[in-house]
Amino acid sequence: MTTLEGPPMTDRPRIAPDLLAALLEAAPARVRRKLDAAPRTAEEWPWSCGDGTWTVAAGGETVTLTGTDLTEPGHVACTCLLGPRCLHLLAVAGLLDAVEDDGPVPETSSTPPASASTDPLTEVVEVDPAGRAAARAAWDAAARILAAGVRSAGSGPRAELLRASALARAAHLPRLSAACVAVAAGPRDHPTPAFDLSAYVADLTDLLDLSLRLGGGPAGDRPPPTRADVGVARRAYGEVGSLRLYGLGGERVVTASGYAGVVTHLVSVSDGAPRLWRVADVAPGDADRVTVAHGSRVSFGGIALSHRDLGRGALIAQRAGASADGRLSGTSATTAATIDPIPWDEGPLAALWERPLADQVADALAALAAPTRRSGSDLVFAGFSVVGPHPEGVEVVETREGRPHVLVADGPRDPLRARNLARIGLDRGTVLRVMARPVPERPGRLIPLTVSGLTGLPDTRRGRLDVSLDTLKWADPVPAAPTTAPAPLPVPSPRAEAALARVLSRFAEAGRETVSVDTAAIARLRAHHLPTGADLLTAVIAAARERVRTVTGESVVPSPDGAAVAWLAASTYLNAVRARLHALAWAG
């Protein structure tokens, strides 16, 4: 049996949104007020696990959670006389993450075979009445929590969002369901250091935009929903026929929400055009799970390859299954057999390195700015010559155009990649081929996934290093100081749009009542040639401060729809401006 006090465990049970919503709605108002005052009280209680059952010592009472996925009322219990409508059970259940959307998927959501020139995510879809009802419920809940502000939102608005998530899940709208759950975590996390206001604003923008596209919000014209808006459930796989797949490499995944594992990237070639795919093993867990997943067997067509070997191998798959966004999965009819792999600079793999890096980066930045993207659309492939160590990683020069870049780690939770880069930086003059991902807000910075061209690698690695998964067999060096100052890299211009971002963030955190006229911000936007931003900010302020007269002459706050529409328009514009600034900075 394991026992824990303090931070949440990544292997705690997960709760269905509709069950948590029902528990919150059934609780007496006085209990909900206590929960709203301290939504993370249960963090301080001892949690114990044994034989698939969790028990939480809540003072003199005990909360019991049965199973890994809590979907029915019988899965949660408390010894309290008020249970299950007691504070003990609600405090415990409120800390749990939501059950993933992995239920059955209707036939219409299978992925049809597609050529490399088509993108199934752009296919226009029809939303049925149940889906439109879920979208309306999601919009109403999101508009109300925006109007009140996450700081004041409590268990009531959270229950509305969770109920909308359950409706979306039942209507086979996995992306809308997940968006509701993401925003619903805001009221719970706001009093803690775990809350990130910028991430919450992004989640709220995504939820409002998505629910509007799917049929929520006020009447009016809206773009037709696509498969990207619907999302891809975990089991939404359709047959894509036969594929000749070549492994490109893998990367570690460790998320703040408690998931960890490995993603392996592959490429197939059809009609002369390369098409990228991925095979993932990501599940609840911490960083220790990455090593296990890297060496575990891939469940795909009966092959006996680990993720480590698949990233360097090759295979032929018959009747392969795939999702619309490029995730591969073996169906009951899938068969696969290994074939001889090829180097990166030969045959169909060499085509990935033929496009100019600037064009690849532009496409990758656009993909990273989109809420949904196809596998591999955010990756770039380029050749670099190592200049030497850099304070952020490794300074390199692009071999075709001679432009400087820096290979960097993905933040402080990426120590292995940082150590490997420190060692690579000592091999000045080495010419590398790199599969990487650009960092939008840091021009010239690339996060390398896999590199080839290093000397001294074991034969089993076939000349490649998965930078976040493999360890270079040399002693960890002390990075040498650069012999010359690194070449200056382009940086974004002063953030003129920051004035708009501050108002939108204040609105989302504290509600419409805190928004005041900000003539200085409006003037700054116009002075920096962002007149549309100034107009949208003016509209947001007007909508937040709007009052209407009742038949008796009283001044009251109107429906939150108008303010939500104005806020969404301004937030969407802000994201577009930032994406454009990032693209311009990368282009130099």
Side-chain angles (χ1 to χ4, degrees):
M1 177 179 290
T2 58
T3 303
L4 172 79
E5 292 187 45
M9 291 181 65
T10 56
D11 57 350
R12 283 177 178 172
R14 296 173 185 263
I15 190 167
D18 55 342
L19 175 57
L20 181 54
L23 293 172
L24 292 171
E25 291 167 348
R30 59 182 179 83
V31 173
R32 291 200 301 269
R33 285 194 295 270
K34 290 182 179 179
L35 180 66
D36 295 343
R40 303 191 73 94
T41 300
E43 285 287 10
E44 308 301 324
W45 298 339
W47 293 59
S48 303
C49 179
D51 299 326
T53 299
W54 281 82
T55 57
V56 184
E61 307 296 343
T62 300
V63 176
T64 304
L65 309 174
T66 306
T68 56
D69 287 348
L70 312 178
T71 57
E72 300 177 5
H75 293 165
V76 296
C78 182
T79 57
C80 176
L81 293 177
L82 191 58
R85 300 185 298 163
C86 61
L87 177 63
H88 315 104
L89 192 148
L90 290 180
V92 169
L95 288 183
L96 303 178
D97 291 329
V99 172
E100 286 190 336
D101 188 3
D102 59 355
V105 179
E107 293 296 326
T108 55
S109 64
S110 5
T111 305
S115 68
S117 60
T118 62
D119 184 357
L121 293 176
T122 62
E123 174 192 352
V124 175
V125 298
E126 181 69 28
V127 180
D128 61 21
R132 291 194 293 271
R136 287 193 295 270
W139 171 273
D140 292 344
R144 278 193 284 269
I145 202 171
L146 171 65
V150 66
R151 180 189 299 169
S152 302
S155 54
R158 189 178 181 206
E160 290 182 18
L161 287 165
L162 294 171
R163 183 67 69 188
S165 173
L167 292 174
R169 191 178 189 211
H172 308 294
L173 299 174
R175 190 177 154 211
L176 181 62
S177 176
C180 289
V181 170
V183 176
R188 178 195 67 188
D189 296 338
H190 183 267
T192 74
F195 181 78
D196 183 337
L197 180 58
S198 61
Y200 175 79
V201 169
D203 289 339
L204 186 56
T205 301
D206 184 46
L207 176 55
L208 286 169
D209 178 67
L210 191 56
S211 57
L212 188 68
R213 289 173 177 271
L214 294 172
D221 294 336
R222 64 196 74 200
T226 65
R227 188 171 296 278
D229 298 326
V230 171
V232 181
R234 289 181 62 197
R235 296 181 185 174
Y237 293 94
E239 188 175 313
V240 292
S242 299
L243 298 172
R244 184 180 290 264
L245 297 163
Y246 299 94
L248 292 172
E251 62 177 317
R252 79 194 290 267
V253 176
V254 179
T255 71
S257 57
Y259 285 83
V262 171
V263 171
T264 298
H265 297 274
L266 305 102
V267 63
S268 66
V269 178
S270 176
D271 300 327
R275 190 173 179 86
L276 295 173
W277 308 87
R278 73 182 184 273
V279 176
D281 181 358
V282 179
D286 56 18
D288 292 338
R289 191 183 180 279
V290 173
T291 302
V292 176
H294 194 208
S296 64
R297 181 175 176 273
V298 176
S299 178
F300 184 77
I303 59 173
L305 289 178
S306 66
H307 278 272
R308 179 185 293 108
D309 295 330
L310 180 62
R312 297 174 171 87
L315 55 90
I316 293 179
Q318 303 286 340
R319 305 190 68 177
S323 65
D325 60 352
R327 290 179 291 177
L328 288 173
S329 177
T331 67
S332 59
T334 302
T335 59
T338 58
I339 58 176
D340 291 335
I342 57 177
W344 275 3
D345 58 353
E346 294 182 9
L349 300 192
L352 294 170
W353 277 265
E354 291 176 356
R355 291 184 64 207
L357 178 58
D359 294 345
Q360 294 188 60
V361 167
D363 290 346
L365 293 178
L368 289 167
T372 304
R373 56 183 174 270
R374 198 185 186 283
S375 179
S377 61
D378 58 342
L379 301 180
V380 298
F381 302 84
F384 294 103
S385 177
V386 176
V387 175
H390 186 278
E392 298 179 59
V394 180
E395 184 184 0
V396 294
V397 172
E398 207 265 326
T399 54
R400 282 177 124 188
E401 302 173 359
R403 297 187 62 180
H405 292 76
V406 178
L407 305 182
V408 299
D410 189 14
R413 295 190 301 172
D414 194 10
L416 179 57
R417 186 163 8 215
R419 289 199 300 271
N420 283 334
L421 290 176
R423 179 62 186 83
I424 292 171
L426 300 181
D427 291 343
R428 294 179 174 86
T430 300
V431 178
L432 306 174
R433 283 201 172 207
V434 180
M435 176 174 69
R437 180 178 292 113
V439 184
E441 64 276 11
R442 298 169 65 191
R445 273 64 173 175
L446 299 164
I447 299 172
L449 277 57
T450 304
V451 303
S452 72
L454 296 171
T455 59
L457 294 178
D459 293 341
T460 55
R461 294 186 181 175
R462 296 194 174 98
R464 302 180 200 167
L465 176 80
D466 290 332
V467 190
S468 64
L469 295 168
D470 298 327
T471 303
L472 289 173
K473 298 300 183 182
W474 297 294
D476 288 342
V478 176
T483 54
T484 59
L489 294 167
V491 295
S493 58
R495 300 286 296 276
E497 80 284 4
L500 176 59
R502 283 196 300 271
V503 175
L504 297 180
S505 297
R506 187 188 315 131
F507 194 149
E509 183 175 28
R512 65 190 300 168
E513 298 296 335
T514 63
V515 177
S516 58
V517 176
D518 193 339
T519 54
I522 296 172
R524 184 181 179 195
L525 287 167
R526 295 196 186 281
H528 284 81
H529 310 291
L530 296 173
T532 302
D535 293 341
L536 290 172
L537 178 54
T538 301
V540 168
I541 295 172
R545 297 171 59 82
E546 181 184 8
R547 299 295 183 270
V548 296
R549 293 285 180 181
T550 65
V551 293
T552 59
E554 297 172 301
S555 176
V556 297
V557 177
S559 161
D561 283 353
V565 169
W567 187 91
L568 173 60
S571 186
T572 302
Y573 169 83
L574 177 63
N575 290 338
V577 168
R578 286 173 168 168
R580 180 59 176 162
L581 289 176
H582 293 154
L584 290 173
W586 268 89

